[in-house]
Amino acid sequence: MRPYVLQGHTRPLNQVVFNAEGDLLVTCGKDSKINLWWADNGVRAGSFDGHNGVVWTVDMTYDSKVLLSAAGDSSARLWSMEDGSELFRFRFNEPARACRFSVGEKLAAVSTDPFMNSVSAIRLFNIAADPADQSAEEILNLTGPRGRITRLHWTDQNRTLLSSSEDGMVRRWDVETGKCLAEKQLHEKQVMDMQMSTDGTHFITASTDRTSKLVDTQTFEVLKEYKSAAPINSAAMSPIFDHVLIGGGQDAAAVTTTAAKAGYFEARFFHKVFQEEFAQARGHFSPINSVAFSPDGTSFVTGAEEGNVRLHHFDADYFQIGDRI
Amino acid sequence: MVSTSKWGDLLEEEEELPPSTTTGPDAKGIVTKVEYYRNEKGEVMKKTTKTRVVKIEKKVYKVAQERRAGWRKFGEAATERAADSVTSQTPDEVQLERIQRQKQTQEEKSKAADFQTAMAGSDKSAIVGSLRDMLYKKRMERQLLAAKGLIAAPERPPDEDGPSGSGLPPAGSGKPGGWVPPSLRNRLGGEGGGEVMQKRRDENSVRVSNLSEDVTEEDLAELFGPFGPIQRIFVAKDRETGESRGFAFINFIHREDALRAISKLDGYGYDNLILSVSMAAPRPERN
């Protein structure tokens, strides 16, 4: 592999995401920038400028036309992906962290951090078909949990919402009533990332307690556990093989006192079922903050604390290894 | 009539080169290109180039293609020039480093120790994995030893050993892998010349077929080694693609070793395939 290094961010990366077809890649980071890249050759297709604070997460519509971003400048914004113009702005009194379009993109959920007197909340909005008709009216506010909500997922055909938070909990919310239906302490420390499998039956969590867990969506039963020697910031599942990709590394605060070799900054591949690490890809020199597989499983991308994004296209021999590992 | 050039040159120029031909790709995807050219001395040279053509199909979504064609760059990307591009490809190759392999070799090195550490640890899967590995290896060893165990039982016919071996204990009969004096290592080849040796080697050649493509010479040395000293192992490979063709020749020094290997390993399951082992047909005489 000869990965592409995308140096479009000057500060740590927060999230890297592919669109539905896998031809576009969106990255966002602490430098308040959102970049759009062509996923085949890593050329920058555009940047969404306007946020005044760290951009935590982004989400795209299925047709790759509208981008939703949640940022630390207490706003969540809708962008046109074709020309980079801002379509709408949701304003809050608290920093926004996680955001997700519902299946069908009629709704969107945005989580806000606890700040001053307010507790953490998940806010639901209607998304208008035409951005001109978009309203900022909140249709539901889910409050209660302590700690910031790091990731959100719509499940059960938009009837329920999954949230992962910094207290190590994963919760299921009823979208109609706003009640918390189930919760489970999956991790001892904060859950940094939660990614859904393509069929939605299970998801993978990544936590700073140095474990990553494969969890059943319906029962919250822990199916598999992947252990690392350093905090895990992100975990992704291959859509074509039983492979799990984990990114993390020595805590950013301790990096200056650690040798790059001891930092566990590699992107690490585990077998999903046997829980064994079978491969590594080096390249970053600081903790990996976000990893993603392309929807066709032929490439993966990692974004790290140093501000670099590395876009890897697998060599042919990876597909020959495939399930034989 | 005024001619500017000598008739000799004219003749040379007129001598036409055969047209270059391109054949293929054949079943293996190999394109053969034959070109003719003159070197500095004016001699006609023939150059044959063989290349393997690999077809890679890539499917692209129609919407993705339309996006690629229709979208313009915006934001910072619009003002970005090629010279100060934020995207670069790493100059060096980044490998997906396989780490399971290393583990395995370490395990092989210290089988027993590893099992003990696994037992001492609390990880159940490690114990089970290690135990299974150990049992499997034990079984394979036992099978090979059983095949080899017959070496010790029947003595070699003394007349074949010749006069040199009569007074001394038969080599390799007591302890397998024991030291054998060099004079006894090649019991049959002692009196013969090089030509005889060559002939004998061919006679003691065993042909193994239905091998998997990953089998190497070392694997075969491990498999056939217990039957007796081996002179040469040859794995047939495709000349163009370099892939194993699924058969190999093992030349034993002694014919009885070869026969025993055939009796034991013909129909032996190796690497999920059933081996077919037989004496190699003698090579046709070259004139």
Side-chain angles (χ1 to χ4, degrees):
Chain A
M1 293 185 293
R2 279 187 60 201
Y4 293 97
V5 183
L6 321 179
Q7 294 174 307
H9 292 274
T10 50
R11 291 204 54 211
L13 266 297
N14 280 329
Q15 205 184 18
V16 290
V17 205
F18 281 100
N19 71 339
E21 284 88 16
D23 64 319
L24 290 168
L25 171 70
V26 177
T27 60
C28 63
K30 288 194 174 135
D31 57 355
S32 69
K33 258 192 233 162
I34 307 166
N35 282 320
L36 179 71
W37 314 84
W38 296 114
D40 56 347
N41 58 5
V43 168
R44 181 149 71 169
S47 69
F48 303 91
D49 308 319
H51 274 297
N52 297 319
V54 35
V55 184
W56 289 111
T57 58
V58 287
D59 193 26
M60 276 169 273
T61 54
Y62 193 76
D63 59 6
S64 305
K65 288 198 171 140
V66 181
L67 181 84
L68 173 65
S69 63
D73 63 353
S74 306
S75 74
R77 299 181 197 204
L78 292 171
W79 308 82
S80 160
M81 286 188 62
E82 192 174 344
D83 56 14
S85 61
E86 190 181 323
L87 302 173
F88 194 77
R89 193 179 299 184
F90 301 98
R91 292 169 193 279
F92 311 109
N93 295 321
E94 308 86 10
R97 188 165 289 256
C99 62
R100 186 75 63 180
F101 282 117
S102 67
V103 181
E105 292 126 15
K106 294 262 168 48
L107 296 164
V110 178
S111 80
T112 52
D113 288 350
F115 186 67
M116 306 288 273
N117 294 325
S118 42
V119 293
S120 66
I122 305 167
R123 297 152 194 272
L124 304 187
F125 299 95
N126 274 319
I127 297 293
D130 183 2
D133 307 333
Q134 181 65 43
S135 90
E137 191 199 343
E138 213 174 282
I139 55 169
L140 197 67
N141 189 331
L142 313 172
T143 49
R146 291 181 304 277
R148 298 163 181 149
I149 289 156
T150 50
R151 292 287 187 273
L152 291 169
H153 277 287
W154 293 83
T155 50
D156 205 11
Q157 285 162 342
N158 293 344
R159 281 195 284 269
T160 55
L161 195 61
L162 288 190
S163 73
S164 65
S165 66
E166 286 202 333
D167 54 1
M169 298 277 234
V170 170
R171 294 184 176 85
R172 194 199 325 277
W173 303 86
D174 189 313
V175 173
E176 291 289 320
T177 60
K179 276 182 190 153
C180 180
L181 297 173
E183 61 174 23
K184 190 168 183 184
Q185 183 86 43
L186 285 176
H187 290 281
E188 291 161 24
K189 291 184 182 169
Q190 58 257 55
V191 183
M192 300 297 284
D193 192 15
M194 177 167 73
Q195 292 195 19
M196 195 58 80
S197 69
T198 32
D199 57 1
T201 55
H202 54 284
F203 59 86
I204 191 164
T205 57
S207 166
T208 46
D209 68 0
R210 301 176 180 190
T211 59
S212 177
K213 287 176 180 173
L214 197 74
V215 185
D216 187 292
T217 312
Q218 290 305 315
T219 60
F220 284 172
E221 183 195 347
V222 177
L223 305 169
K224 300 286 170 189
E225 188 176 331
Y226 313 98
K227 285 178 188 160
S228 171
I232 302 174
N233 291 332
S234 188
M237 286 176 275
S238 167
I240 52 170
F241 295 127
D242 280 338
H243 297 172
V244 162
L245 170 60
I246 277 168
Q250 191 67 251
D251 192 18
V255 158
T256 48
T257 56
T258 338
K261 262 186 192 170
Y264 304 99
F265 301 143
E266 301 90 13
R268 310 165 76 194
F269 287 83
F270 283 72
H271 195 283
K272 195 174 182 177
V273 181
F274 302 126
Q275 307 170 64
E276 268 173 14
E277 187 180 352
F278 66 86
Q280 290 184 343
R282 285 172 206 281
H284 285 293
F285 47 89
S286 64
I288 294 173
N289 283 345
S290 185
V291 294
F293 268 107
S294 68
D296 60 355
T298 59
S299 59
F300 72 98
V301 66
T302 53
E305 192 79 9
E306 81 244 11
N308 285 358
V309 174
R310 289 171 78 91
L311 173 63
H312 310 69
H313 294 277
F314 285 118
D315 288 336
D317 62 341
Y318 170 78
F319 303 103
Q320 283 166 9
I321 305 166
D323 279 334
R324 284 200 285 148
I325 288 161
Chain B
M1 266 174 72
V2 183
S3 168
T4 47
S5 57
K6 289 177 188 169
W7 64 271
D9 294 339
L10 207 71
L11 199 72
E12 222 168 70
E13 275 166 29
E14 273 174 1
E15 193 188 321
E16 269 182 32
L17 291 170
S20 62
T21 53
T22 310
T23 51
D26 62 1
K28 286 173 194 162
I30 286 158
V31 176
T32 315
K33 194 180 177 189
V34 184
E35 290 169 296
Y36 297 92
Y37 65 98
R38 282 176 205 281
N39 62 5
E40 298 102 24
K41 288 176 191 169
E43 292 163 325
V44 178
M45 306 297 279
K46 182 183 174 187
K47 185 179 162 194
T48 311
T49 327
K50 284 189 176 183
T51 41
R52 194 176 175 194
V53 181
V54 183
K55 198 174 177 185
I56 298 170
E57 254 181 47
K58 202 178 173 187
K59 288 180 181 167
V60 183
Y61 286 98
K62 203 180 165 195
V63 277
Q65 210 177 2
E66 283 166 10
R67 266 199 291 269
R68 193 71 199 246
W71 283 17
R72 289 174 179 281
K73 287 182 175 183
F74 58 86
E76 285 175 24
T79 53
E80 190 182 307
R81 286 167 302 159
D84 50 42
S85 169
V86 291
T87 305
S88 59
Q89 196 168 17
T90 52
D92 40 309
E93 196 75 12
V94 173
Q95 294 296 326
L96 255 191
E97 292 162 45
R98 299 287 301 278
I99 52 176
Q100 201 188 20
R101 285 266 169 83
Q102 287 173 353
K103 255 192 204 163
Q104 266 183 358
T105 50
Q106 276 166 8
E107 261 169 36
E108 278 161 24
K109 270 183 205 161
S110 54
K111 239 182 295 165
D114 200 29
F115 180 66
Q116 308 242 308
T117 51
M119 281 299 273
S122 58
D123 194 356
K124 260 186 199 164
S125 67
I127 299 175
V128 173
S130 165
L131 191 62
R132 196 184 47 209
D133 232 351
M134 207 176 74
L135 289 174
Y136 176 72
K137 273 183 194 141
K138 275 268 160 66
R139 203 177 73 224
M140 295 310 284
E141 262 170 42
R142 223 178 297 133
Q143 275 183 9
L144 275 174
L145 277 176
K148 200 182 159 190
L150 289 169
I151 299 169
E155 287 286 314
R156 291 205 176 91
D159 50 335
E160 256 199 66
D161 266 342
S164 65
S166 56
L168 292 155
S173 61
K175 287 172 270 174
W179 185 78
V180 181
S183 62
L184 291 176
R185 277 181 206 164
N186 193 7
R187 275 163 293 169
L188 290 170
E191 72 276 16
E195 208 175 300
V196 185
M197 280 276 293
Q198 181 65 41
K199 211 179 163 191
R200 289 231 170 89
R201 203 177 64 180
D202 277 356
E203 272 171 11
N204 301 336
S205 175
V206 172
R207 186 191 143 98
V208 194
S209 54
N210 204 22
L211 284 170
S212 87
E213 285 183 3
D214 319 320
V215 170
T216 60
E217 269 107 359
E218 289 89 66
D219 295 335
L220 291 173
E222 205 177 291
L223 185 67
F224 284 89
F227 295 102
I230 295 168
Q231 193 156 22
R232 194 178 76 114
I233 294 177
F234 173 75
V235 178
K237 289 195 172 122
D238 191 302
R239 199 184 294 169
E240 276 123 11
T241 58
E243 284 165 4
S244 167
R245 291 172 66 190
F247 66 92
F249 293 99
I250 290 102
N251 294 343
F252 281 97
I253 288 173
H254 310 300
R255 190 173 171 80
E256 62 268 32
D257 292 339
L259 292 172
R260 202 164 42 239
I262 291 167
S263 69
K264 286 294 161 197
L265 289 180
D266 192 23
Y268 178 81
Y270 185 71
D271 212 2
N272 297 333
L273 292 169
I274 292 168
L275 299 185
S276 153
V277 187
S278 62
M279 287 311 278
R283 190 185 288 177
E285 289 283 323
R286 274 190 201 165
N287 293 326

